[in-house]
Amino acid sequence: MYGKAFAPEYQGALTTLSVNSSLTDVLAAGTEQLRAAERAGKPGEAARSGLAVAEAHRRLGRVEEADRAWKASYRAARRAGDVAAMAWALWSGGTLARQRGAFRLARRLLQLAADLGERGGDVVVRGYSLAGLAETGRIQGDYEAVGRLHEQLLAEARRRGEARHTVWALEGIAQMHRNIGKYDTAYALFEEAAEIAARADDRRGHAWALRGLADVVSVRDGDTERALDLLSEAETMCRAMRLSSALAYNHKMRGNVLYRAGRYAEARALYEQALAEFREMSEPRGEALSRLGLAKSLARLGRDRGETAAELADLAGTLERIGLQHARAMVARAHEELGIPADTRAMEAAR
């Protein structure tokens, strides 16, 4: 049985905050507690309040503010001699690095966080940090290396009855199955994640699970309207909590669904919207994927073939620089789908 989802990153005086609290409310409460802790000369409390501030900024897409906040949280934790709080700050920094596409830095910070979590006796931050490492590898397409870690973390979360972490692990494993074409398995895992998240009142996890279900329903069943309905339900949750990144990925997925349905003009508008959102929050992976969808939509709407080929060549280089191992395959599929030969010289020049 799973209990109600909770947010362990909201600590100290902020433990009353819910996993579903609006990020603007989290930011306001965290900033107030941080200032009070600094005035009172309590670095330990400042570190834990600062963690909530860093996470609120990160999830709102304010990357520079998030970067300053997690580093300040780490410095305060170090002054307090609080090893577990140091680990949480490094986890936040590693998660931000992954969001920004700095995967090497993300792995380094998350491994340090896991090590400090173990040293500080905080099993939760250790688990979150290992999960971050697993997610980083999954995003890069290194499924063989991180698949077992996902399964291990899922087993641990189930054993402890941690709904939020169980949902995260199920969604990660589901995404890997979806990406290799095992749609039925992916659907079942996303469905289980959605059910657990709903029972545990984990709206963020529920929104991501609905997005995954919409993707599978679209690509496997061709059921465009049901996919759009699932995305609309998820979008309502994202807007209520001000989940900027999740909302942008929702819009990109809506573009994918419309593109698959041959509704290219509508898809183009959604990709353009998602692209602007990702650029505003400096999220290069989402930006590049939105550009890819936009390039394909524009090609279907009559864009010059040479311009499309040049765009795809530039995207191939961008995706590889970000560190996505499956970048070449993604762009190759786009060339094949559109019937546009790849300009290998341009692709090499863009790397």
Side-chain angles (χ1 to χ4, degrees):
M1 293 295 294
Y2 298 97
K4 188 174 181 180
F6 69 100
E9 66 270 33
Y10 302 154
Q11 303 173 7
L14 302 173
T15 54
T16 56
L17 289 172
S18 161
V19 67
N20 299 318
S21 294
S22 163
L23 293 176
T24 51
D25 292 343
V26 173
L27 183 57
T31 301
E32 181 181 353
Q33 290 298 329
L34 173 59
R35 289 171 178 165
E38 289 174 339
R39 287 194 300 269
K42 296 179 178 179
E45 181 59 32
R48 295 182 181 277
S49 300
L51 173 66
V53 171
E55 282 300 286
H57 278 308
R58 180 182 69 79
R59 290 165 179 164
L60 287 166
R62 302 170 183 172
V63 294
E64 292 183 3
E65 293 91 336
D67 191 54
R68 288 194 294 268
W70 84 257
K71 289 174 180 176
S73 175
Y74 179 82
R75 290 192 297 269
R78 190 171 56 187
R79 286 196 302 274
D82 190 331
V83 175
M86 290 166 63
W88 275 109
L90 288 169
W91 165 78
S92 180
T95 306
L96 176 65
R98 182 179 66 241
Q99 182 173 314
R100 301 174 76 171
F103 294 119
R104 185 178 300 177
L105 175 61
R107 287 193 297 271
R108 185 164 67 85
L109 292 175
L110 289 166
Q111 186 61 63
L112 286 170
D115 295 343
L116 282 179
E118 186 169 10
R119 203 172 90 197
D122 190 326
V123 66
V124 179
V125 72
R126 177 183 173 276
Y128 269 57
S129 301
L130 290 175
L133 286 167
E135 187 164 348
T136 302
R138 176 179 59 78
I139 287 171
Q140 290 188 275
D142 195 2
Y143 300 159
E144 185 176 347
V146 301
R148 284 191 298 274
L149 182 53
H150 271 80
E151 296 284 359
Q152 173 194 329
L153 293 168
L154 173 60
E156 291 179 6
R158 286 193 192 278
R159 188 167 56 249
R160 292 197 297 266
E162 290 181 3
R164 191 179 179 204
H165 235 203
T166 299
V167 168
W168 166 84
L170 284 168
E171 290 170 353
I173 296 166
Q175 191 63 53
M176 287 187 278
H177 282 295
R178 179 262 179 264
N179 288 350
I180 61 174
K182 295 184 177 180
Y183 300 127
D184 292 345
T185 302
Y187 185 91
L189 291 168
F190 278 129
E191 188 173 46
E192 183 183 358
E195 290 171 355
I196 293 172
R199 289 200 302 270
D201 196 25
D202 174 9
R203 295 174 201 164
R204 181 184 295 115
H206 196 190
W208 281 107
L210 291 177
R211 175 185 173 275
L213 285 172
D215 186 25
V216 177
V217 164
S218 167
V219 74
R220 182 191 67 179
D221 306 333
D223 192 339
T224 301
E225 294 312 312
R226 184 176 174 226
L228 293 175
D229 286 344
L230 288 165
L231 289 170
S232 293
E233 185 180 351
E235 180 167 350
T236 299
M237 299 178 196
C238 293
R239 288 193 181 280
M241 296 176 64
R242 295 288 305 277
L243 299 175
S244 303
S245 180
L247 186 60
Y249 275 106
N250 182 294
H251 292 154
K252 187 191 76 67
M253 181 56 68
R254 188 176 289 269
N256 291 355
V257 170
L258 292 167
Y259 179 86
R260 291 169 191 150
R263 294 159 60 173
Y264 302 124
E266 294 173 82
R268 177 186 62 188
L270 265 297
Y271 286 131
E272 288 173 340
Q273 180 180 354
L275 178 58
E277 290 167 336
F278 285 124
R279 281 178 171 164
E280 185 177 357
M281 66 183 76
S282 301
E283 190 162 334
R285 174 173 165 264
E287 180 180 338
L289 294 175
S290 298
R291 280 181 60 200
L292 180 58
L294 181 58
K296 290 164 59 177
S297 298
L298 289 171
R300 295 292 192 182
L301 291 168
R303 187 187 193 186
D304 179 81
R305 291 167 63 84
E307 291 181 7
T308 299
E311 175 78 0
L312 291 176
D314 184 66
L315 271 168
T318 298
L319 288 163
E320 286 198 34
R321 285 194 297 274
I322 291 172
L324 302 182
Q325 295 183 11
H326 50 300
R328 280 184 179 271
M330 291 170 64
V331 176
R333 283 196 300 272
H335 278 287
E336 182 179 355
E337 180 185 329
L338 299 171
I340 297 176
D343 186 340
T344 54
R345 285 182 298 177
M347 290 177 71
E348 289 299 322
R351 292 181 66 183

